[in-house]
Amino acid sequence: MTRSAARASRDAPHVLIVGGGGTGGALAHDLTLRGIRITLVERGEFTSGTTGRHHGLLHSGARYAVNDRESAIECIEENAILRSICPGSFEENDGLFVAITDEDMAYYDDFVEGCKACGIPIEELTPEEALRMEPLLNPELKAAVRVPDATMDAMRMPLRFFATAKHRGATLYNFMEVLDLVVDGGAVTGATVRDLVTGSEGDLHADLVVNATGPWSEKIARMAKVDVPISPSPGVMLALRGRLCNMVINRMHRSGDGDIVVPQRGLSVVGTSSWT
Ligand SMILES: Cc1cc2nc3c(=O)[nH]c(=O)nc-3n(C[C@H](O)[C@H](O)[C@H](O)COP(=O)(O)OP(=O)(O)OC[C@H]3O[C@@H](n4cnc5c(N)ncnc54)[C@H](O)[C@@H]3O)c2cc1C
């Protein structure tokens, strides 16, 4: 069967995805490629949850290369996949990790070694080379490393997944809220939903129900008496009008407060999604 012939037949297994963020959209795209029948419900606009509000950084994995190599490897692999399947969705601007203090330099060797071990292509730069690329860097910088970070539009990129899933026959509902899960003999077999536009309610049934509700996963799982503990972590991001830089600028040290600037179209987003 060719990829274009993989449109789901009426007898194909049916999956109900709850949540229309990046996870739900990408899953709908992937499963329709495999000939699975998809229904997806989202209680707001698509990408209106965490996905539409994130930093917009396509991670190279370098940020995790010292502390969490498993995530770093996953990031660089996904980075390459997303660039190839979503061309045009990214500003391919690369990133710099910049060492300013002696403390940053103490992290440098571990950082370079970690990136190499994780297969993240890097280029070690002199301060002069880095300043030529980004003239507003602190002129006292001691060293910089170029990494394949990129910037994405947090809403437009995932909308491509919804579009291709719909093109392949997925049924996508926005403004449709899951009120409860239908549980039969210990298995989740569907969901009770409310159409937030008309107010009508009903049950949707499926062979499999996927909880793709991000930070709301705990609440949805509880409907099936399943415990999925979610732990919030603190972080602050500030969107400033105008671009301070064209590349993604990271401080060369362990994740902390305010250690990254992501240029996002006409804005500069400064901050850290989590400093813990
Ligand atoms: C501040 C911040 C910055 C980040 N920056 C980056 C970054 O730069 N790069 C990166 O790769 N990642 C980043 N992340 C992580 C990224 O945003 C998340 O991993 C991703 O958006 C999670 O997507 P999701 O689809 O799982 O969740 P969400 O996008 O939250 O989607 C869940 C959806 O479920 C829906 N939902 C909830 N309850 C119901 C219900 N009862 N019925 C129907 N629908 C329901 C919600 O409305 C929501 O749209 C950042 C995260 C944060 C918090």
Side-chain angles (χ1 to χ4, degrees):
M1 186 185 278
T2 64
R3 280 162 66 102
S4 59
R7 202 179 179 88
S9 76
R10 288 181 68 83
D11 302 329
H14 180 208
V15 173
L16 171 64
I17 300 172
V18 185
T23 305
L27 186 63
H29 163 77
D30 194 275
L31 292 181
T32 51
L33 281 178
R34 295 162 201 266
I36 308 281
R37 226 155 26 103
I38 296 297
T39 303
L40 182 147
V41 291
E42 161 57 49
R43 69 177 170 191
E45 290 279 14
F46 297 122
T47 76
S48 60
T50 322
T51 299
R53 298 154 202 256
H54 77 52
H55 230 145
L57 170 63
L58 178 68
H59 284 271
S60 60
R63 173 163 282 263
Y64 308 119
V66 175
N67 287 350
D68 182 359
R69 290 194 175 176
E70 189 183 349
S71 296
I73 292 168
E74 198 174 337
C75 280
I76 189 63
E77 288 175 355
E78 292 292 333
N79 179 309
I81 292 169
L82 285 169
R83 283 175 198 255
S84 78
I85 66 173
C86 305
S89 296
F90 306 103
E91 184 179 339
E92 302 202 11
N93 42 358
D94 286 345
L96 291 181
F97 276 74
V98 182
I100 297 171
T101 62
D102 289 341
E103 199 188 342
D104 294 351
M105 284 309 284
Y107 188 70
Y108 188 95
D109 289 342
D110 287 347
F111 177 80
V112 168
E113 191 210 315
C115 287
K116 287 181 179 165
C118 296
I120 300 166
I122 58 168
E123 185 187 356
E124 295 180 69
L125 303 172
T126 62
E128 295 72 30
E129 287 170 327
L131 281 165
R132 267 200 297 279
M133 290 175 185
E134 285 296 350
L136 292 185
L137 288 176
N138 183 337
E140 304 295 316
L141 84 154
K142 295 176 184 291
V145 176
R146 183 176 186 160
V147 302
D149 283 343
T151 304
M152 65 177 133
D153 183 308
M155 283 169 273
R156 283 190 200 169
M157 204 281 283
L159 286 176
R160 294 187 159 196
F161 287 123
F162 289 101
T164 54
K166 189 171 163 65
H167 178 69
R168 288 179 177 277
T171 305
L172 310 176
Y173 295 110
N174 54 2
F175 300 107
M176 183 79 78
E177 182 170 23
V178 167
L179 303 177
D180 206 354
L181 294 175
V182 178
V183 182
D184 186 7
V188 177
T189 57
T192 303
V193 296
R194 177 186 292 146
D195 183 328
L196 297 178
V197 178
T198 64
S200 63
E201 292 183 15
D203 285 354
L204 292 171
H205 293 280
D207 298 303
L208 196 77
V209 178
V210 177
N211 179 359
T213 54
W216 295 277
S217 299
E218 184 171 7
K219 197 173 161 201
I220 298 293
R222 210 177 295 132
M223 294 173 181
K225 301 195 170 28
V226 174
D227 192 25
V228 179
I230 299 282
S231 311
S233 65
V236 173
M237 298 194 315
L238 204 60
L240 306 174
R241 194 168 296 140
R243 284 169 77 110
L244 297 168
C245 49
N246 288 316
M247 302 171 82
V248 178
I249 306 297
N250 304 265
R251 267 298 284 280
M252 169 96 60
H253 60 196
R254 286 173 202 282
S255 294
D257 187 12
D259 58 3
I260 179 167
V261 183
V262 180
Q264 189 47 270
R265 291 194 279 179
L267 300 172
S268 299
V269 185
V270 182
T272 312
S273 37
S274 171
W275 63 66
T276 53

